[in-house]
Amino acid sequence: MTQTEFKKKLADTENTEWYNSVQINLNYIHLNLNFEFKGFGHAHKFINQQFKGWEKLTKNHQGLPNELLKSIKHFEYIESQLINFIDNYKSQGNEISLNSFFNSTKNQIESSTGTNFTYDSPEVEFLIDVHIKHKKSFASAFCYVTGNLNQNINNIDNFTGYLLAYEFTLKDSTSITERINKEKSSLASLRTKFENSLPELESELVQHLKEGNQKYEEYSQAIDNFREDKEKTYSDWFINTKGGFEDFSTKSDKRLEELENTYQEKLKLEEPAKYWSDRAKKLKKQGWIALGVLIALILIVVFSLGKLLWATPEQIYESFFNGDKSAAIRWSIIYITFISFMAFALKAVTKVMFSSFHLARDCEERHTLTYFYLSLLKDSAVDKEDKKLIMQALFSRAETGLLKDDSSPTMPTNDIVGKFFK
């Protein structure tokens, strides 16, 4: 469990102050180490450091002997005791009760030190070194350090382990250190020989440096030649490709300008084209309405004529054959007047109908001609004079057919569309 998680667990307890003030002692007699902790958090911080230290030692030495790995279990046991106590009594707030409950757990924790080690103790470093260099003597060295002398000294490996542990334990008071002084004298002699060989080594170093400088100048010259060759190659490539790039850039700029002009023309003609399209739909609708009115008027005339012929009043026949023709003439004048009004109405509705269909067709043609003009702008250039002719055709007044002299202005007789296709 990380320290952050452990602190969160402590914060959830009822009497957090007690958990931060309780005393815990860990006494490692064989290491001459005694740790006093104030509070669960302080103790867990120490345990967490031990976990990280042992993990690093295990990784660096690719495994540790089982005698040392027991120390990791020792600290795991202490951590589990602390966590279990918090889980069981976190809702308890009375200090007297907490002290009473913790006595048993505290005794178990403090009595578990045994022959365990902290990762940073000198004894651990010594035992690991023995395990690496004198593996068979590790067990007796471990027993000597922990004070448990149960190994048979008649065995040479065991004796070596005891001796190594003895030297480590009494390194400041044993007479074996005299050997160190003798070895120092030997080291001094070796140092003198080494210092005497330094001038020769310095001469060789100067010679190597001189040769290195010469090779460096050769390599530098070769690099300069290579750079000049590549610069010349790049310059030739740039000159050859510059013309093609400029031509491509010119064509692209010209094409972009043409597209911009086409887009501007589209923006200018977009609203008129939309107006002509909407106007054509409206005029078609108006024409169909006029056609319906015309059909209705014709049906009225036909129905009235049939009704008159089928059910003519008897007084008309009687007055006509009895010599008194005034009634027949009067009814004839009435019907002729009715027919005259109906004929005038039919003629007016007919003009409106044909005018609507004619103007609708004209709007559709102008709409089509607008997009045809834009396609010409996109695919080819249009002369200024031709543009005037097209604009005159697009925006000229259309003949409605409702008036006698209703006609548009005189248009040029040349074939504009044929001219463009040519």
Side-chain angles (χ1 to χ4, degrees):
M1 179 179 288
T2 63
Q3 285 185 265
T4 303
E5 294 172 345
F6 191 81
K7 289 179 179 179
K8 289 182 178 179
K9 188 178 285 292
L10 282 178
D12 293 336
T13 58
E14 182 70 20
N15 192 347
T16 307
E17 294 181 359
W18 181 88
Y19 286 93
N20 291 330
S21 61
V22 66
Q23 297 290 333
I24 301 175
N25 296 325
L26 294 178
N27 188 14
Y28 299 89
I29 299 174
H30 59 290
L31 302 178
N32 196 23
L33 292 176
N34 185 36
F35 299 97
E36 295 183 359
F37 305 105
K38 184 178 180 180
F40 278 37
H42 188 196
H44 188 267
K45 181 179 180 181
F46 170 76
I47 294 169
N48 198 7
Q49 291 175 350
Q50 294 299 317
F51 284 150
K52 293 179 180 179
W54 282 111
E55 182 181 1
K56 185 176 181 181
L57 287 176
T58 305
K59 183 178 180 180
N60 292 340
H61 298 287
Q62 297 180 354
L64 296 175
N66 294 329
E67 290 83 352
L68 296 179
L69 290 177
K70 290 193 301 182
S71 298
I72 301 176
K73 300 292 184 181
H74 160 64
F75 292 110
E76 289 178 351
Y77 171 77
I78 296 176
E79 183 185 44
S80 65
Q81 289 292 322
L82 295 177
I83 294 173
N84 291 335
F85 185 84
I86 294 174
D87 291 338
N88 293 332
Y89 301 104
K90 63 181 179 180
S91 59
Q92 179 62 251
N94 188 285
E95 292 187 6
I96 298 176
S97 300
L98 288 172
N99 288 326
S100 176
F101 295 143
F102 186 63
N103 284 334
S104 175
T105 302
K106 181 178 180 180
N107 293 332
Q108 293 176 6
I109 292 175
E110 293 179 350
S111 63
S112 65
T113 54
T115 58
N116 295 295
F117 296 84
T118 60
Y119 81 94
D120 52 351
S121 61
E123 288 80 2
V124 170
E125 183 178 357
F126 163 73
L127 291 174
I128 292 175
D129 186 64
V130 172
H131 183 264
I132 294 173
K133 297 179 180 179
H134 310 282
K135 192 170 185 178
K136 293 182 179 180
S137 303
F138 172 80
S140 57
F142 180 83
C143 291
Y144 188 93
V145 171
T146 57
N148 185 16
L149 303 178
N150 60 357
Q151 296 290 330
N152 188 359
I153 199 170
N154 294 329
N155 187 303
I156 189 171
D157 293 326
N158 294 341
F159 178 78
T160 302
Y162 283 131
L163 185 60
L164 291 172
Y166 169 77
E167 288 184 6
F168 172 77
T169 306
L170 303 175
K171 56 187 175 183
D172 295 329
S173 59
T174 178
S175 60
I176 298 177
T177 55
E178 295 180 359
R179 186 180 63 184
I180 298 176
N181 296 328
K182 295 180 180 179
E183 291 177 351
K184 285 183 179 179
S185 177
S186 177
L187 289 174
S189 176
L190 291 174
R191 180 179 180 182
T192 302
K193 292 181 181 179
F194 176 75
E195 289 178 349
N196 292 334
S197 63
L198 284 178
E200 183 179 355
L201 294 175
E202 289 179 353
S203 300
E204 293 179 358
L205 176 61
V206 171
Q207 183 65 26
H208 286 306
L209 290 175
K210 183 177 180 181
E211 294 176 356
N213 289 332
Q214 292 177 352
K215 291 183 179 180
Y216 171 77
E217 292 177 355
E218 293 175 358
Y219 285 129
S220 177
Q221 184 63 34
I223 291 173
D224 291 338
N225 296 334
F226 177 79
R227 179 177 56 82
E228 293 176 356
D229 180 66
K230 292 302 178 182
E231 287 179 350
K232 184 177 182 302
T233 303
Y234 174 77
S235 178
D236 295 338
W237 170 82
F238 182 80
I239 293 173
N240 293 331
T241 56
K242 183 178 180 181
F245 178 79
E246 290 178 349
D247 183 60
F248 171 78
S249 177
T250 303
K251 291 181 179 179
S252 299
D253 293 339
K254 184 178 180 181
R255 181 58 177 167
L256 180 60
E257 184 179 0
E258 292 175 356
L259 292 175
E260 287 178 351
N261 293 334
T262 303
Y263 181 71
Q264 290 176 358
E265 292 294 332
K266 177 182 179 297
L267 292 179
K268 293 178 183 177
L269 297 175
E270 187 174 13
E271 288 300 323
K274 184 175 181 298
Y275 168 78
W276 286 322
S277 178
D278 297 338
R279 181 66 176 168
K281 294 178 181 177
K282 184 177 180 181
L283 289 171
K284 279 187 176 181
K285 182 178 179 182
Q286 181 178 327
W288 288 113
I289 292 174
L291 179 60
V293 173
L294 179 62
I295 293 173
L297 292 176
I298 292 173
L299 292 177
I300 292 173
V301 173
V302 173
F303 177 79
S304 62
L305 180 60
K307 185 69 174 177
L308 181 62
L309 295 175
W310 183 262
T312 303
E314 294 181 358
Q315 60 177 349
I316 294 176
Y317 292 109
E318 291 175 356
S319 62
F320 186 83
F321 290 107
N322 291 334
D324 184 11
K325 298 181 176 58
S326 59
I329 293 171
R330 185 171 62 252
W331 281 102
S332 298
I333 292 172
I334 294 172
Y335 188 75
I336 290 171
T337 303
F338 171 75
I339 291 299
S340 299
F341 280 110
M342 292 300 291
F344 178 80
L346 289 173
K347 183 178 180 180
V349 172
T350 302
K351 280 188 175 184
V352 172
M353 178 187 70
F354 285 114
S355 177
S356 297
F357 284 124
H358 166 70
L359 293 176
R361 181 62 179 272
D362 183 77
C363 291
E364 290 176 348
E365 290 177 353
R366 290 170 190 262
H367 181 266
T368 304
L369 184 59
T370 301
Y371 284 99
F372 175 71
Y373 168 64
L374 292 176
S375 67
L376 291 177
L377 287 179
K378 177 179 179 297
D379 297 331
S380 61
V382 180
D383 295 337
K384 188 174 182 180
E385 295 297 325
D386 296 336
K387 182 177 179 181
K388 289 181 179 179
L389 294 176
I390 293 174
M391 289 299 175
Q392 189 175 2
L394 286 175
F395 297 101
S396 62
R397 186 164 59 88
E399 182 179 356
T400 63
L402 297 176
L403 302 177
K404 182 177 181 180
D405 295 327
D406 182 23
S407 61
S408 60
T410 304
M411 298 295 296
T413 57
N414 56 337
D415 186 9
I416 299 172
V417 178
K419 185 174 181 180
F420 274 103
F421 278 112
K422 181 178 179 182

